[in-house]
Amino acid sequence: MAQSVAINPSLSLTEESGVQSFYQKVGGLCIAIAVLAMVAAAAGAGRVYPALFFAIIVGMFALGSVAYALPYYHGSAGIHNNGIMFKSMTNKGTIAWILGIVLTGFYIIIYWYSWMFEGLIRTFDPLSQILSNQPATQWFMYGAFYTLAVLTMGIRFIARNRNNRYQVIRTVSVMFFQTGFGFLIPMILKKLNEPEFYFSYFWPLKYSYLFPSDVSSLMSSGNLGVFMVFWGAMMTFIATPLLTYKYGKRWYCSWVCGCGGLAETAGDPFRQLSDKSLKAWKIERWMVHSVLVFITVTTILLWLNSYYKGGTLGSVSGAFAQWYGFFIGAIFSGVIGVGFYPIMGSRVWCRFGCPMAAILGIFQRYKSKFRITTNGGQCISCGNCSTFCEMGIDVRAYAQKGQNIVRASCVGCGICASVCPRGVLKLENGEEEGRVDDKPITIGNTNYYS
């Protein structure tokens, strides 16, 4: 009988926990075959046998990932502190650094040296022709890999958290939105000779959707293009404030967004690596809000430049847009945002750079019904909540004082509540009054500083 996820009876803190099961060994072998096929395809074989190499790469990745996840369905549900801080992959060891370098290199090649992947890109021609009637580009290949990662690692995440209905539903949600709205629908629109449009992204995350050039192009493309402009404006200026007021930023960051979807699935093994220090929190606030100001100013300048037909601002606004696209859109959100998963945790982009997260966070902090309530009297200070908070929030500090957690950075993933052994934490949407309480609740001691 195949061994399930092993339980380590040893009391040694530094012993490597868990022996790989037969299914996980098979999964590792399949993924190794997929990687070798990618190398062969990039070397030129993908040009000659595109369908064959597409089947091998995608099939082996999918099969390997599912096989690796199967033992989680047999073991005990939930996230456990089973030696995760003593494994090279999940605690910034050699394997983690190698993976980080590989991911970073992959993004650099995709953005600036895509010719190196020409053979690999050609393997996706059969699928691209079916969906869009066009040959594959590096972005189609990237979108296919991205969606595959969310789907296969989503299966693993559901297996680990199958005992928690909230975690299962929100994971299925991000898998659905990424597959349908983030991949299939934009490609089908191209097949129908309509503008490529991502209905699950809007300003300021998809910053160009409010740029004059994009708005003008969509408006001139017909009734569907006019609807796309309407959809983007409605989601940006009406739906976002209303939904965030009701549910906090979790409605988007943990249920819809493709960036968050990848972080929650493929990035789940690295969530414990987020920096919880006050210094990191200060840097986070300065950086994420600076990016929001940058794209807001850029958008305003572009509209002013359009209104004055370039007579007043000249090329300044265009330069701003180019800088933002290079430094934020490419380097930060792509190369650093995903490439640094194994070193800085899974929400590097969401935490330090995403302007959508910034604007949602402002709403959540000052005008929202969402909060995470705490029962300080039940907290045993185990630290699970803080350890697994991917946004770098020291949840335990709030729980120990019985304070509600109302942080702009919180994405409402609910993992802190899931891993709490005492039921101290609870995600709630209540009345605004009393939501923020700066006075800690103490047990048996009233001599505290507020």
Side-chain angles (χ1 to χ4, degrees):
M1 178 180 293
Q3 185 180 5
S4 62
V5 175
I7 299 176
N8 180 19
S10 173
L11 296 179
S12 172
L13 293 177
T14 58
E15 182 173 335
E16 185 77 8
S17 68
V19 177
Q20 283 195 334
S21 71
F22 169 77
Y23 291 112
Q24 289 176 323
K25 292 177 181 178
V26 170
L29 176 62
C30 290
I31 292 174
I33 293 173
V35 172
L36 288 175
M38 287 178 62
V39 174
R47 295 173 181 265
V48 184
Y49 306 106
L52 174 63
F53 275 88
F54 173 80
I56 294 174
I57 293 170
V58 175
M60 288 294 100
F61 263 127
L63 182 62
S65 300
V66 172
Y68 204 88
L70 281 177
Y72 288 102
Y73 284 95
H74 301 290
S76 58
I79 297 176
H80 310 288
N81 285 315
N82 51 351
I84 198 167
M85 290 300 189
F86 302 107
K87 296 179 180 178
S88 180
M89 173 69 82
T90 54
N91 192 31
K92 306 179 187 179
T94 302
I95 297 177
W97 278 97
I98 292 173
L99 179 61
I101 292 170
V102 169
L103 287 173
T104 301
F106 176 80
Y107 271 87
I108 290 174
I109 293 174
I110 281 286
Y111 276 103
W112 297 292
Y113 304 97
S114 60
W115 56 268
M116 297 177 65
F117 280 161
E118 185 62 27
L120 182 59
I121 294 170
R122 297 282 66 82
T123 64
F124 286 84
D125 279 343
L127 180 61
S128 182
Q129 290 289 353
I130 292 173
L131 293 179
S132 65
N133 278 346
Q134 298 178 19
T137 65
Q138 76 266 36
W139 302 118
F140 181 89
M141 180 192 72
Y142 172 65
F145 275 133
Y146 195 106
T147 303
L148 181 65
V150 171
L151 291 176
T152 55
M153 293 300 285
I155 293 173
R156 172 189 175 276
F157 187 88
I158 291 173
R160 293 185 76 193
N161 297 277
R162 64 189 184 279
N163 63 326
N164 189 301
R165 183 170 174 266
Y166 179 80
Q167 298 300 334
V168 171
I169 293 176
R170 79 178 183 87
T171 304
V172 171
S173 176
V174 296
M175 292 165 70
F176 167 76
F177 278 104
Q178 173 55 36
T179 304
F181 289 77
F183 184 63
L184 293 179
I185 291 178
M187 295 302 106
I188 293 172
L189 287 171
K190 291 178 67 175
K191 185 173 185 176
L192 300 174
N193 293 319
E194 298 289 350
E196 182 180 347
F197 193 84
Y198 296 81
F199 287 93
S200 56
Y201 295 99
F202 22 89
W203 191 91
L205 180 56
K206 191 65 175 177
Y207 51 90
S208 65
Y209 280 0
L210 272 189
F211 285 0
S213 57
D214 278 41
V215 171
S216 176
S217 176
L218 289 173
M219 292 290 287
S220 63
S221 64
N223 292 334
L224 185 55
V226 174
F227 173 75
M228 291 172 179
V229 173
F230 168 77
W231 172 264
M234 182 191 69
M235 293 302 298
T236 298
F237 299 112
I238 299 176
T240 291
L242 290 178
L243 289 171
T244 309
Y245 173 73
K246 176 67 176 177
Y247 301 108
K249 64 194 291 186
R250 59 176 169 161
W251 76 268
Y252 187 74
C253 295
S254 290
W255 288 70
V256 175
C257 180
C259 303
L262 188 70
E264 291 292 334
T265 53
D268 177 61
F270 311 109
R271 62 170 57 248
Q272 69 280 351
L273 300 179
S274 61
D275 191 340
K276 276 76 176 181
S277 67
L278 286 175
K279 180 180 180 180
W281 186 17
K282 292 178 181 179
I283 295 173
E284 167 195 327
R285 286 180 290 177
W286 275 103
M287 289 187 66
V288 76
H289 293 109
S290 295
V291 173
L292 176 59
V293 170
F294 191 173
I295 190 55
T296 302
V297 171
T298 298
T299 305
I300 293 172
L301 286 176
L302 284 172
W303 278 102
L304 287 173
N305 195 42
S306 176
Y307 179 78
Y308 289 109
K309 302 186 185 302
T312 303
L313 299 171
S315 61
V316 173
S317 56
F320 263 63
Q322 291 176 354
W323 295 339
Y324 185 91
F326 177 76
F327 289 108
I328 308 300
I331 294 179
F332 205 155
S333 68
V335 177
I336 295 175
V338 179
F340 284 23
Y341 271 14
I343 306 301
M344 296 181 64
S346 58
R347 289 272 190 172
V348 179
W349 162 247
C350 308
R351 185 180 176 188
F352 294 97
C354 178
M356 188 71 184
I359 198 167
L360 290 173
I362 292 172
F363 284 127
Q364 177 171 276
R365 177 64 178 85
Y366 296 104
K367 194 64 178 177
S368 175
K369 292 185 175 184
F370 173 73
R371 84 293 307 273
I372 300 179
T373 58
T374 63
N375 183 351
Q378 292 293 318
C379 180
I380 58 174
S381 299
C382 66
N384 283 352
C385 53
S386 293
T387 297
F388 290 103
C389 178
E390 60 194 344
M391 295 304 292
I393 301 173
D394 188 3
V395 181
R396 179 174 59 179
Y398 291 89
Q400 288 173 331
K401 295 181 288 187
Q403 289 181 322
N404 290 344
I405 301 171
V406 186
R407 281 270 287 267
S409 56
C410 177
V411 293
C413 67
I415 290 295
C416 58
S418 299
V419 299
C420 178
R422 301 279 290 175
V424 171
L425 305 162
K426 184 178 180 182
L427 280 68
E428 293 187 0
N429 299 312
E431 297 300 323
E432 284 188 78
E433 184 177 357
R435 189 173 71 103
V436 180
D437 183 4
D438 294 329
K439 292 184 178 181
I441 299 173
T442 55
I443 307 301
N445 179 18
T446 58
N447 296 319
Y448 59 82
Y449 293 97
S450 59

